[in-house]
Amino acid sequence: APSTVPMAAAEDVDASATLAGRLGGLALGAGKTLGAVVGAGYIGVCALVYVFQRKLQYFPTKEAPPAVSSLPAVCRGIEDFSVRTEDGETIRGWYWAPLPGGKHADVTLLQLHGNAGSRHNRLYWAHHIRSRLGVGVALLDYRGYGGSTGRVTEKGMILDGVAGITWAATRAKETKSKLVLHLESIGSAAGVAAAARLGDDAGVDGIVVEGGLSSCVEIAAKLFSFLPVRALMKDKWAGTCAAAASLRPDQPFMSMHGDRDEIVPLWCGRRLYDSVRGRKVWKEFKKGGHNNLMEKPGYFEALDEFYEQYVKA
């Protein structure tokens, strides 16, 4: 009889240990299941981002803009033009001749726009810069934008820039004018890369970047720090600063950037500017955002001074 007490106690200990083991096993299994679900979900998000990333990076208006004949009367002098890229795409644009008697009628601008819309959305800008400064303006739509053929990619946009610069340089030569690239947002990466590729044959007399960027991958990595952006991203635009550094040393260059730019942070624009070796100007706009620099005091004055003292000097 005395020996039954230790046995009962031993059996009670064994039962508790068994129950604890079972509960621990269930918890471990649930944890593994939850981890697997979270892991699968994360991989799924990465896969979706990889597949659809260009739809998250580029927002083109694919359709061709209205016919010139249907635009307001003040725009009726615009000409349609198209150029063929070296990989066979047809890139479309508008050319607006300099304002007769304008202060800078001897300057032709080629604008390469940002990642959204089309040349139609830049017509307001073109009208005001032409009216205020007298310049000629060419507006170019990349592949996949504004009726141009093809699909947008980093490599393709650079080829579009090469074709556009070549066309604009020919027109500038015909009109005996100076060619200035006016590069908006991601257009800064495309235009700088294209100009660097063309080298001394580019025929570019000045470059203005507005809301310019050093790369897309740097911005994306900060915005989506929870994703392996550097591994996933196809169009990194990581060579922009190297291209800027390879521009000829006497290339006039101006960066215009808002200190409250919500799309391309100020540091990103400054990094591009710091990469340039040529004669350069930094113009920072107080309370300036990404899309409203034209509305800020000193915008047209900065361009006027750049054309006069750098491009035509």
Side-chain angles (χ1 to χ4, degrees), residues 143-200:
R143 60 191 64 204
Y145 286 77
S148 297
T149 64
R151 294 184 178 181
V152 61
T153 64
E154 176 180 346
K155 181 180 178 181
M157 286 174 69
I158 294 172
L159 293 179
D160 300 342
V162 167
I165 293 171
T166 303
W167 181 91
T170 300
R171 179 56 62 97
K173 187 176 181 179
E174 292 170 350
T175 57
K176 296 182 173 61
S177 58
K178 300 288 189 179
L179 175 60
V180 176
L181 306 183
H182 195 107
L183 311 175
E184 171 196 314
S185 192
I186 202 171
S188 64
V192 167
R197 179 173 297 190
L198 286 167
D200 293 338

Side-chain angles (χ1 to χ4, degrees), residues 87-170:
D87 63 340
E89 300 297 348
T90 299
I91 307 304
R92 305 190 183 281
W94 280 337
Y95 172 71
W96 208 346
L99 188 68
K103 180 177 181 180
H104 297 295
D106 54 351
V107 173
T108 295
L109 307 184
L110 171 65
Q111 195 226 37
L112 299 182
H113 60 68
N115 68 340
S118 72
R119 64 188 182 277
H120 188 224
N121 302 104
R122 278 73 186 181
L123 193 55
Y124 179 80
W125 171 85
H127 166 66
H128 280 280
I129 199 167
R130 180 176 179 269
S131 298
R132 294 282 294 269
L133 300 177
V135 297
V137 184
L139 303 174
L140 187 75
D141 269 320
Y142 314 110
R143 60 191 64 204
Y145 286 77
S148 297
T149 64
R151 294 184 178 181
V152 61
T153 64
E154 176 180 346
K155 181 180 178 181
M157 286 174 69
I158 294 172
L159 293 179
D160 300 342
V162 167
I165 293 171
T166 303
W167 181 91
T170 300

Side-chain angles (χ1 to χ4, degrees), residues 2-258:
S3 63
T4 60
V5 176
M7 286 293 297
E11 289 173 358
D12 287 342
V13 170
D14 289 342
S16 298
T18 300
L19 178 59
R22 288 177 178 174
L23 289 175
L26 288 173
L28 181 61
K32 288 182 177 179
T33 301
L34 179 60
V37 169
V38 171
Y42 182 76
I43 292 172
V45 169
C46 290
L48 286 172
V49 169
Y50 182 79
V51 172
F52 296 106
Q53 61 181 274
R54 288 193 173 117
K55 292 185 180 296
L56 302 173
Q57 189 172 6
Y58 308 108
F59 306 94
T61 297
K62 297 181 179 180
E63 300 77 17
V68 171
S69 59
S70 68
L71 296 175
V74 70
C75 301
R76 298 296 167 79
I78 293 174
E79 305 171 25
D80 288 301
F81 73 89
S82 63
V83 294
R84 193 83 164 168
T85 65
E86 64 181 65
D87 63 340
E89 300 297 348
T90 299
I91 307 304
R92 305 190 183 281
W94 280 337
Y95 172 71
W96 208 346
L99 188 68
K103 180 177 181 180
H104 297 295
D106 54 351
V107 173
T108 295
L109 307 184
L110 171 65
Q111 195 226 37
L112 299 182
H113 60 68
N115 68 340
S118 72
R119 64 188 182 277
H120 188 224
N121 302 104
R122 278 73 186 181
L123 193 55
Y124 179 80
W125 171 85
H127 166 66
H128 280 280
I129 199 167
R130 180 176 179 269
S131 298
R132 294 282 294 269
L133 300 177
V135 297
V137 184
L139 303 174
L140 187 75
D141 269 320
Y142 314 110
R143 60 191 64 204
Y145 286 77
S148 297
T149 64
R151 294 184 178 181
V152 61
T153 64
E154 176 180 346
K155 181 180 178 181
M157 286 174 69
I158 294 172
L159 293 179
D160 300 342
V162 167
I165 293 171
T166 303
W167 181 91
T170 300
R171 179 56 62 97
K173 187 176 181 179
E174 292 170 350
T175 57
K176 296 182 173 61
S177 58
K178 300 288 189 179
L179 175 60
V180 176
L181 306 183
H182 195 107
L183 311 175
E184 171 196 314
S185 192
I186 202 171
S188 64
V192 167
R197 179 173 297 190
L198 286 167
D200 293 338
D201 297 328
V204 174
D205 300 294
I207 297 175
V208 175
V209 298
E210 186 170 335
L213 51 88
S214 55
S215 78
C216 288
V217 69
E218 292 173 296
I219 299 172
K222 288 183 180 293
L223 284 174
F224 306 103
S225 57
F226 56 94
L227 292 174
V229 169
R230 296 182 186 277
L232 294 174
M233 201 166 185
K234 296 177 182 177
D235 294 351
K236 297 180 174 70
W237 294 97
T240 304
C241 287
S246 72
L247 295 172
R248 69 176 199 266
D250 63 340
Q251 178 72 76
F253 187 97
M254 179 165 70
S255 287
M256 310 177 80
H257 218 105

